[in-house]
């Protein structure tokens, strides 16, 4: 996991944990690239909704396939 906190467009803090390669014991750092595939879509949707003043549950309602 790698996490960065931003304030006014500047990095305030960075935290990293875990291994980028378990086989070779390579730790995750601030420059590690992650294969996130389609996982970012949900984060993007929630971020856009929050900027528009909408609640996350309204995004969740539309992001699932109908039952």
């Amino acid at each position: 996991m790698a996490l960065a906190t931003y304030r006014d467009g500047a990095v305030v803090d960075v935290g990293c944990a875990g291994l980028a390669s378990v086989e070779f014991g390579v730790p995750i750092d601030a420059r590690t690239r992650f294969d996130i595939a389609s996982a970012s879509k949900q984060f993007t949707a929630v971020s856009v909704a929050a900027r528009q003043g909408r609640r996350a549950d309204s995004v969740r309602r539309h992001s699932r396939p109908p039952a």
Side-chain angles (χ1 to χ4, degrees):
M1 165 183 83
L3 176 74
T5 305
Y6 291 81
R7 181 175 294 129
D8 299 324
V11 177
V12 176
D13 192 21
V14 175
C16 303
L19 295 174
S21 171
V22 175
E23 180 180 2
F24 297 109
V26 178
I28 292 173
D29 64 21
R31 295 175 22 160
T32 300
R33 293 183 181 206
F34 294 91
D35 181 17
I36 60 173
S38 293
S40 62
K41 291 175 187 173
Q42 291 84 355
F43 294 104
T44 302
V46 171
S47 298
V48 169
R51 281 205 167 249
Q52 295 174 348
R54 296 170 54 197
R55 293 183 3 205
D57 62 344
S58 66
V59 173
R60 208 175 305 121
R61 180 177 58 233
H62 297 289
S63 65
R64 293 186 196 149

